[in-house]
Amino acid sequence: MNDTANAAPHFIQRRVLHIVFASTSGHTEYVVDALTSSLKSIAPGWEIEATIAEKAQPEDLLSGDVLLLASSTWNTGGTEGQLNPHMWVLLHDKAKALDLAGKPCACIGLGDHRYFYTARAADHLQHYVEAHHGRLIVPTLKMIDEPYGQEEAVRVWGQQLVDASKPADWS
């Protein structure tokens, strides 16, 4: 019996990153695309799945090896510093009782320096992960102002995500 084909996956670090993001102006989607592009060269063995928040179901937050939540900060309506409404509905309505059960997680929040609560979406996402028993494996990435031109910061953070996602680091 030939075990060579079965042995090959042991040499490749294969991870499934599931990104759930909310983007209306396109900024968060741009950051997710920049991260995905970077990860293809940094971690070619990774599989990356992305779901927009308005189409996501609670079980989507449990799929993959690592969960990444990404949202912009909204400063409309009443209180400043809110999550994108689609992300809010997902996390605080559909998935409000979800237990992440120690799942490795990461968060990206976007914001504008002109507001008092700059990039507060990052704080809301991080709080959700912690309150629902997820485990943040890297510091939350806060993208301030336009994401265009900040691709290097996304790449560096992506490398940190890859490094932190090694199973030895999950103990």
Side-chain angles (χ1 to χ4, degrees):
M1 185 170 184
N2 185 348
D3 289 314
T4 306
N6 293 337
H10 297 289
F11 298 108
I12 297 172
Q13 182 183 5
R14 185 179 181 284
R15 297 274 175 270
V16 177
L17 172 64
H18 191 122
I19 303 170
V20 178
F21 70 99
S23 186
T24 50
S25 68
H27 290 153
T28 305
E29 186 172 12
Y30 181 82
V31 172
V32 167
D33 289 345
L35 177 63
T36 300
S37 178
S38 292
L39 290 176
K40 285 180 182 178
S41 62
I42 295 169
W46 277 34
E47 180 181 331
I48 301 166
E49 302 169 349
T51 306
I52 56 173
E54 55 264 39
K55 292 186 178 179
Q57 297 301 314
E59 57 271 14
D60 293 327
L61 301 178
L62 299 174
S63 71
D65 299 307
V66 178
L67 170 65
L68 170 64
L69 297 174
S71 177
S72 58
T73 301
W74 275 51
N75 295 305
T76 59
T79 308
E80 200 178 275
Q82 306 161 50
L83 279 173
N84 174 296
H86 298 295
M87 185 63 79
W88 193 94
V89 167
L90 174 63
L91 300 182
H92 297 287
D93 185 12
K94 293 181 186 178
K96 68 181 173 187
L98 185 72
D99 185 354
L100 292 171
K103 183 173 195 67
C105 299
C107 302
I108 299 174
L110 284 73
D112 189 312
H113 79 277
R114 296 175 294 172
Y115 295 98
F116 181 75
Y117 295 114
T118 303
R120 193 167 191 199
D123 301 331
H124 291 299
L125 295 173
Q126 185 172 321
H127 175 73
Y128 178 85
V129 167
E130 293 167 347
H132 292 262
H133 312 111
R135 194 164 40 85
L136 290 167
I137 59 171
V138 291
T140 298
L141 177 63
K142 291 185 178 184
M143 300 293 299
I144 309 302
D145 297 330
E146 298 286 326
Y148 313 108
Q150 297 191 57
E151 296 81 5
E152 180 60 16
V154 172
R155 188 197 66 72
V156 168
W157 186 83
Q159 182 65 62
Q160 293 172 359
L161 178 64
V162 168
D163 293 344
S165 73
K166 295 175 183 165
D169 294 338
W170 293 356
S171 57

